[in-house]
Amino acid sequence: MASTSNSKNIAEDEEEEEEELARFDDFTLSSSWERFISDIEVVCRQWLADGPQNLLVKGAVPMDLSNGLYKVKSEFKYAMKSYCMEYYFKTTNDGKVADWNQTLHDLQLSFGVKEFVVIAPQSASGVVLDSPEASKLLSAVAIALSNCSSLWPAFVPVHDPSRKAYIGIQNMGTVFTRRFEADRIGSQVPIKLMHLEGLYELFVSKFAYTRMDVSMQQFKIHFKMRLTYRTPTYDDDDELHEADVGIMESGGNAESETRKKTQWDDDCPWSEWYTTDDPVKGFELLAIWSEITAESSLEMAELENASPLEAEKWFLHPCFSENFDISDGKTVGFASQLCLLVKALERSLEAQFMEDFVSAIENSGSENAKSSAVIPPPTVLDRVLKDLFHQVAEAQPYLSTGEHKGSRAIKGAPLDSLFAQFCLHALWFGNCNIHAIAVLWIEFVREVRWCWEESQPLPRMPANGIIDLSTCLINQKLHMLAICIDRQRQQGTKLSDVSRHDDTPDYKEDLQDHRFLSPHEVSEGFDGERESQSTSNGLLGPKTEEASSNPKHHEIATSTFSKSSEHDRRGSAGALPAMMLLHSREIMHAPVTQDPPLMTEDMHEERLRAAEASADSFSFSAQLEKEILVSDMSAFKAANPDAVFEDFIRWHSPKDWEDDYSEIGISQTSTVEGSKNEWPPRGRLSKRMSEYGSSWRKIWNEAPALQASKQKPLLDPNREGEKVLHYLETLRPHQLLEQMVCTAFRAAADTLNQTSFGDLKQMTTKIGQLYLTMSSTLRYVQSYSRSGDGDIIKDVRRLCVIFGHVEKLLTLAASLHRNFLQAPSLAEAIFSDYYDYYQQNMGSGSMQGDSKKEFKKKHEIRARERDVVANMFTPPTANQSWRKVLSMGNLLNGHEPTLREITFSKRDRVSKSYYTASASKFYQQEIETYRMYVCETSNDLRVALAVASCD
């Protein structure tokens, strides 16, 4: 029994010891709350040790602001919840808080801080809805920052996210602590707080504890104010109402009157093809009072009636349209349509003829194929053809007025030419698919053939001149056809009038046409350079004028002309008294010659290939030029019946006649004076002409004496015209699309180049760079069908992106130019700022995702420019005034500010304070004890309060 009782006592003692141990708290183990603080402290110490520069290297994220603000973040867990702490900092630490003219973070603006920490739960709302949790979370961060000896302010978002409410704390050293609180009223704002007087009293009530009316007390308060004005935008109801009033006052019928709202770009060159939204929807004007001191609410009431023109600084910021900063390819313009044309180029190799694409749609039973290949109705097709062929009064000048100096480097067609206009119409015909282009091209060729068969002038194409080989081949062919039509019409007119002019000497008719007085040029490899013997007004050359002024030469010319009457001289363009025929001593006459035959690029290439294939390229070249040479020799014989071969060489190619007088230093004038005594003049054919002169002499001997008007034309208009039409009708799809792409890019660029944008040097430079890029990229397009290189298509698509960027900038430049006609320096400054911001994205595709930043830079307005900006705020009409309830002061031409921001502050000296008796000099100076930031509109009010205290 004794042993049993002893065992019971031992068990009871053990239980008592266990109960005592259970009541013991081991403070050497940290709690979850302390571990949470420790984790925050470790991260804060690491951020402090790294510094701003190292944090940038470690991947700090730049904010969507222009003031160089960055952030880093770290995640924590506490009490089954996840939290995210973010540290916001700047790379420059000058100790100054940014001014209002810079773009600031919401917390920087509300509380006047520079760098700060924000901790929030990782939830859908991102805010702490429980007040005790918010206080505990803020305390944890404050303790961690205090342990790190950091002066960073810390904030916690609270309440509903729409209220933008925060609580915060900042350790300012060993004495002072600053506490923060912000909240917002979204509706039913008290009327008193909509005025400066009421806001002043609200701030004073935070520190003035008195039973008397606050409005009767005087407190020295510092504040600054920023007012934001938005240029008025008039909706359709306003415009329609004003139009109805005007019609009724004039006695008209409002229902019968058509009221068309004009677009902003009606007078822009691209408005003929498309219209776009104005990139600048309006402007925001910021009027800033930097530092004002008020001692009573009455002073605040007076300030509310002050004009914004009295503000210390003005800043202007453009407000862009919603889609202007989005480059997603959905914006309609030349660039978007050029992309569709490039897609059509890719598909052009699928068929041999354009008719195949038309029949493919007609025979296709698939609805998807028909929907993707949109072909406009016949009415649209007729309207396009009418614009191309029947609404042109006369042929436009070949050189377009909007042509850039770099445009000719692109192998396309001039802007005002027929093919260029066809390409521009094709961009907007349907959705610019290959099937719609095929339909339009077939009808286009039919209209061209109709002009040929009916001998009607080809619109938009010159009927004379030299074919420009720098343009695309289709444009050359159309130019050739226009000339052939004109020659046909001339030949028909001559045949109808031949009976009435039979008795008129041929040479008298030919003398009226001054174009044929100088011989045409022949290739230098065959006959050398041919010097013209005529001038623009007399067309007889300086030697002729000199000889005609000499009485001796006048006698020679008179006697010789009387002798030549014995012969049947025909086709003379005028006498050349400075030159005489070798055998007869008669004055030489310049013949009227035919124009050289016109050739397109493919005709030149055909001749070159034939010459290369020939064994004797020189003989072949002579054969190619034989028709021209025979025509010139025949005309020369008709004008100079007694001429010999040497005379023709002296006129046709003077450098192939070696004169002995030049070797001994005797002038050619003295040669003519002594020609009566010494005849024939001493000279000979050149060695080159002697070697190859046998073929020329043979042609001379066989050539008949026949004036140019009686010769067979060197250019057969009927044959060449049919060849042009055959080329157009059998043109392969890839050949057409290759030339269309080059011409469309050139014509679109030339159209945009006509835009008036003032003296914006960046825009001028960018347009010049665009032409250079187009020239270097498009030169390979016409080899796409031969090589099938996919890189060519990729390069052209990148060119479309670059074209879209330039088109976008040009639209902005035009809008700014017309908004600031009276102050062009403002347009230049705003465009320069936006250009610098946008330049990094040009040529890189779309501006989407994290890389897209909103343009927020503001431009300061100088004093002499304020009147121009103020005039942009036109006074509201009567219809607009009655709908507005003016609740805020500081009106600008009848417009109240859309946003008012005020920062109140109270400063105190704390040198005699109990808490600062032994403090450093920093705390013995004046500090900001109270600060209140107010941001309000006519519908809401947001207040942020910061209070510094000695805790």
Side-chain angles (χ1 to χ4, degrees):
M1 295 294 293
S3 61
T4 304
S5 60
N6 291 334
S7 61
K8 290 182 179 179
N9 293 333
I10 293 172
E12 291 177 358
D13 294 340
E14 291 178 353
E15 289 178 359
E16 291 178 358
E17 291 179 359
E18 290 179 358
E19 290 178 359
E20 292 178 359
L21 291 174
R23 291 192 299 271
F24 176 75
D25 293 332
D26 188 359
F27 290 98
T28 61
L29 299 177
S30 61
S31 64
S32 60
W33 167 251
E34 292 173 326
R35 287 193 296 271
F36 180 54
I37 296 175
S38 177
D39 293 340
I40 297 176
E41 182 179 344
V42 170
V43 173
C44 292
R45 288 184 183 276
Q46 185 62 46
W47 287 345
L48 285 169
D50 288 339
Q53 300 301 327
N54 290 331
L55 290 177
L56 291 179
V57 176
K58 291 184 176 182
V61 180
M63 300 299 295
D64 186 16
L65 300 169
S66 60
N67 63 342
L69 189 66
Y70 296 84
K71 74 172 181 178
V72 291
K73 64 180 181 180
S74 181
E75 298 179 359
F76 308 95
K77 285 188 177 181
Y78 170 67
M80 305 300 293
K81 287 186 179 182
S82 297
Y83 297 92
C84 178
M85 185 173 68
E86 297 176 334
Y87 169 49
Y88 294 81
F89 65 94
K90 296 183 66 174
T91 56
T92 57
N93 188 11
D94 53 5
K96 297 180 180 179
V97 179
D99 198 2
W100 263 354
N101 58 355
Q102 299 182 10
T103 304
L104 303 176
H105 189 275
D106 182 55
L107 293 177
Q108 289 178 320
L109 193 61
S110 300
F111 301 109
V113 297
K114 184 176 180 181
E115 51 185 1
F116 53 92
V117 174
V118 178
I119 187 168
Q122 290 184 322
S123 60
S125 62
V127 297
V128 180
L129 302 179
D130 189 309
S131 297
E133 180 186 2
S135 300
K136 189 174 183 180
L137 192 62
L138 186 62
S139 299
V141 179
I143 294 172
L145 292 175
S146 178
N147 293 340
C148 300
S149 300
S150 173
L151 302 182
W152 295 341
F155 297 95
V156 176
V158 294
H159 306 307
D160 186 78
S162 61
R163 292 172 59 174
K164 297 182 180 180
Y166 287 89
I167 60 173
I169 191 170
Q170 180 185 12
N171 179 17
M172 301 179 67
T174 59
V175 177
F176 296 101
T177 300
R178 179 180 293 173
R179 300 185 182 275
F180 308 98
E181 186 176 359
D183 207 343
R184 172 178 174 267
I185 302 177
S187 61
Q188 298 181 353
V189 179
I191 298 178
K192 183 177 181 180
L193 297 182
M194 299 301 294
H195 299 278
L196 295 180
E197 182 179 0
L199 295 174
Y200 171 84
E201 295 177 1
L202 174 65
F203 177 65
V204 171
S205 66
K206 300 299 180 181
F207 58 85
Y209 302 100
T210 177
R211 295 182 179 179
M212 299 180 60
D213 188 1
V214 176
S215 61
M216 303 301 295
Q217 300 293 319
Q218 288 189 352
F219 301 94
K220 188 176 181 181
I221 303 300
H222 301 273
F223 74 95
K224 55 184 178 179
M225 181 171 63
R226 178 171 71 176
L227 303 179
T228 302
Y229 297 86
R230 179 73 180 265
T231 52
T233 56
Y234 303 109
D235 53 20
D236 296 337
D237 294 337
D238 295 333
E239 295 185 357
L240 294 178
H241 179 76
E242 293 178 7
D244 291 339
V245 172
I247 293 171
M248 297 304 294
E249 290 179 354
S250 62
N253 186 1
E255 295 181 358
S256 62
E257 296 288 341
T258 59
R259 303 184 296 268
K260 295 183 179 180
K261 183 179 178 181
T262 59
Q263 300 293 330
W264 76 276
D265 58 350
D266 281 345
D267 56 346
C268 293
W270 63 76
S271 61
E272 181 182 357
W273 307 104
Y274 68 94
T275 184
T276 181
D277 293 335
D278 192 344
V280 182
K281 286 299 184 182
F283 292 89
E284 284 187 353
L285 173 64
L286 306 180
I288 297 177
W289 283 263
S290 296
E291 189 69 28
I292 305 177
T293 302
E295 296 184 357
S296 67
S297 58
L298 296 178
E299 295 182 13
M300 301 298 296
E302 294 178 0
L303 180 62
E304 188 170 325
N305 297 324
S307 170
L309 295 173
E310 302 175 6
E312 181 180 347
K313 294 181 180 180
W314 274 22
F315 291 89
L316 195 65
H317 171 68
C319 301
F320 298 122
S321 60
E322 296 179 356
N323 298 326
F324 181 67
D325 279 337
I326 302 177
S327 301
D328 54 1
K330 297 180 180 179
T331 306
V332 177
F334 279 129
S336 62
Q337 302 308 114
L338 289 171
C339 290
L340 298 177
L341 186 61
V342 175
K343 293 181 180 179
L345 173 62
E346 286 186 279
R347 295 195 56 192
S348 62
L349 295 175
E350 297 178 3
Q352 294 294 323
F353 301 99
M354 297 301 293
E355 290 79 4
D356 296 338
F357 288 105
V358 179
S359 59
I361 292 299
E362 296 175 352
N363 300 331
S364 176
S366 174
E367 294 297 331
N368 294 333
K370 292 183 179 180
S371 61
S372 62
V374 178
I375 298 178
T379 54
V380 178
L381 178 61
D382 293 341
R383 185 166 62 248
V384 172
L385 295 176
K386 184 178 180 181
D387 181 73
L388 286 173
F389 289 93
H390 305 294
Q391 291 185 348
V392 183
E394 58 184 6
Q396 300 295 325
Y398 198 78
L399 182 61
S400 174
T401 55
E403 187 177 84
H404 191 270
K405 61 181 180 180
S407 179
R408 295 181 65 85
I410 304 171
K411 200 169 183 61
L415 175 60
D416 292 332
S417 64
L418 181 59
F419 184 61
Q421 294 298 309
F422 166 83
C423 292
L424 291 178
H425 275 289
L427 292 177
W428 309 97
F429 190 72
N431 57 0
C432 194
N433 60 82
I434 186 64
H435 305 279
I437 293 174
V439 171
L440 183 60
W441 174 254
I442 293 173
E443 295 300 324
F444 174 82
V445 175
R446 288 177 183 173
E447 288 291 331
V448 172
R449 175 167 282 281
W450 180 87
C451 293
W452 164 254
E453 294 176 349
E454 299 297 328
S455 297
Q456 295 297 320
L458 198 61
R460 304 180 186 272
M461 296 303 298
N464 49 30
I466 301 175
I467 296 178
D468 189 357
L469 300 182
S470 66
T471 62
C472 64
L473 186 56
I474 294 178
N475 184 74
Q476 298 177 37
K477 294 291 185 182
L478 292 175
H479 190 183
M480 172 73 80
L481 184 62
I483 295 175
C484 292
I485 294 175
D486 184 67
R487 296 286 177 87
Q488 268 192 339
R489 292 164 60 91
Q490 291 179 6
Q491 289 179 3
T493 304
K494 290 181 179 179
L495 290 176
S496 62
D497 297 341
V498 68
S499 59
R500 291 178 293 175
H501 298 279
D502 287 341
D503 298 334
T504 305
D506 294 333
Y507 72 93
K508 291 184 179 179
E509 296 178 5
D510 296 334
L511 280 174
Q512 298 176 1
D513 193 351
H514 300 305
R515 294 177 300 167
F516 304 102
L517 292 178
S518 60
H520 58 270
E521 296 181 357
V522 188
S523 60
E524 184 177 356
F526 181 50
D527 61 351
E529 297 181 7
R530 303 181 55 183
E531 298 180 355
S532 174
Q533 305 294 326
S534 58
T535 58
S536 58
N537 44 2
L539 295 172
L540 299 177
K543 299 179 182 180
T544 305
E545 295 178 0
E546 181 181 353
S548 61
S549 62
N550 194 323
K552 294 183 179 180
H553 290 286
H554 181 70
E555 293 178 6
I556 296 174
T558 305
S559 61
T560 307
F561 187 82
S562 63
K563 291 180 181 180
S564 65
S565 62
E566 300 175 359
H567 305 281
D568 189 11
R569 187 186 305 278
R570 303 177 306 278
S572 173
L576 301 174
M579 298 182 68
M580 298 177 62
L581 301 180
L582 296 178
H583 290 179
S584 62
R585 294 193 180 187
E586 294 180 359
I587 297 297
M588 184 183 294
H589 283 249
V592 176
T593 59
Q594 292 193 59
D595 280 340
L598 300 175
M599 289 190 295
T600 57
E601 184 179 6
D602 59 337
M603 297 169 66
H604 282 284
E605 292 177 353
E606 183 180 355
R607 287 200 169 191
L608 288 175
R609 286 193 297 268
E612 292 174 356
S614 175
D616 188 354
S617 60
F618 185 84
S619 301
F620 187 80
S621 178
Q623 184 65 28
L624 295 178
E625 301 292 342
K626 181 177 179 180
E627 294 182 0
I628 303 175
L629 194 59
V630 169
S631 175
D632 287 352
M633 289 181 176
S634 298
F636 189 81
K637 281 185 176 182
N640 302 278
D642 295 333
V644 294
F645 178 66
E646 287 76 4
D647 294 324
F648 175 76
I649 295 299
R650 292 166 60 209
W651 170 76
H652 188 277
S653 182
K655 288 190 176 182
D656 284 315
W657 176 260
E658 297 177 355
D659 198 342
D660 293 343
Y661 293 104
S662 60
E663 299 178 359
I664 60 177
I666 302 177
S667 64
Q668 191 173 359
T669 305
S670 61
T671 303
V672 178
E673 293 177 355
S675 60
K676 289 185 178 181
N677 301 325
E678 298 182 8
W679 194 262
R682 290 180 293 178
R684 68 187 67 85
L685 295 175
S686 64
K687 180 180 179 181
R688 180 180 61 172
M689 193 53 62
S690 299
E691 293 177 355
Y692 303 107
S694 57
S695 60
W696 279 51
R697 191 178 294 275
K698 183 179 179 180
I699 297 174
W700 171 264
N701 296 332
E702 295 176 354
L706 191 64
Q707 66 269 36
S709 60
K710 301 297 183 181
Q711 296 176 10
K712 177 183 177 181
L714 294 176
L715 175 67
D716 187 350
N718 294 324
R719 181 185 62 186
E720 297 299 332
E722 288 295 337
K723 288 171 63 177
V724 170
L725 288 171
H726 176 74
Y727 168 81
L728 298 176
E729 292 171 345
T730 60
L731 189 63
R732 298 299 176 90
H734 63 83
Q735 294 175 338
L736 172 63
L737 267 297
E738 288 168 355
Q739 298 182 62
M740 283 185 64
V741 168
C742 296
T743 300
F745 269 100
R746 173 176 172 174
D750 286 343
T751 300
L752 295 178
N753 188 50
Q754 297 177 357
T755 305
S756 175
F757 53 80
D759 187 20
L760 300 180
K761 296 181 180 179
Q762 296 99 328
M763 194 70 251
T764 303
T765 302
K766 186 55 63 177
I767 291 177
Q769 294 174 353
L770 175 63
Y771 275 99
L772 293 176
T773 306
M774 289 193 300
S775 174
S776 60
T777 303
L778 297 176
R779 69 178 58 181
Y780 301 105
V781 169
Q782 297 193 15
S783 63
Y784 169 69
S785 59
R786 296 189 298 270
S787 63
D789 189 1
D791 292 338
I792 296 178
I793 297 298
K794 294 180 181 179
D795 292 341
V796 179
R797 283 177 176 169
R798 282 192 290 266
L799 179 61
C800 292
V801 175
I802 297 174
F803 195 100
H805 287 304
V806 177
E807 185 177 16
K808 181 178 179 179
L809 284 177
L810 192 61
T811 306
L812 175 62
S815 178
L816 292 175
H817 175 64
R818 65 182 54 220
N819 276 293
F820 297 105
L821 292 175
Q822 303 300 324
S825 59
L826 279 178
E828 295 175 12
I830 295 175
F831 181 81
S832 179
D833 291 340
Y834 186 83
Y835 179 84
D836 295 338
Y837 148 79
Y838 188 76
Q839 189 177 13
Q840 59 183 345
N841 300 298
M842 295 186 64
S844 59
S846 61
M847 296 168 48
Q848 296 180 349
D850 296 337
S851 61
K852 179 180 179 297
K853 296 181 180 180
E854 185 180 355
F855 177 73
K856 295 183 178 180
K857 190 170 183 180
K858 303 171 182 63
H859 179 72
E860 185 172 1
I861 306 301
R862 290 171 290 188
R864 62 176 180 272
E865 299 170 338
R866 289 193 178 187
D867 291 338
V868 176
V869 177
N871 291 334
M872 298 171 62
F873 295 84
T874 56
T877 61
N879 182 48
Q880 297 164 347
S881 298
W882 71 268
R883 295 189 300 176
K884 279 192 174 183
V885 179
L886 301 180
S887 55
M888 303 166 67
N890 305 113
L891 301 182
L892 177 61
N893 292 342
H895 298 277
E896 66 176 4
T898 58
L899 180 67
R900 178 166 60 190
E901 299 169 272
I902 307 175
T903 300
F904 296 95
S905 64
K906 184 176 183 298
R907 302 166 186 170
D908 293 311
R909 289 187 176 274
V910 293
S911 59
K912 298 181 181 180
S913 173
Y914 168 79
Y915 298 96
T916 60
S918 59
S920 62
K921 292 184 179 180
F922 174 77
Y923 296 108
Q924 295 177 12
Q925 298 177 359
E926 187 178 60
I927 66 170
E928 187 180 66
T929 54
Y930 291 88
R931 183 184 189 276
M932 187 176 76
Y933 168 77
V934 179
C935 178
E936 64 175 338
T937 66
S938 58
N939 298 320
D940 62 2
L941 171 67
R942 183 167 182 265
V943 178
L945 181 66
V947 179
S949 60
C950 300
D951 294 340

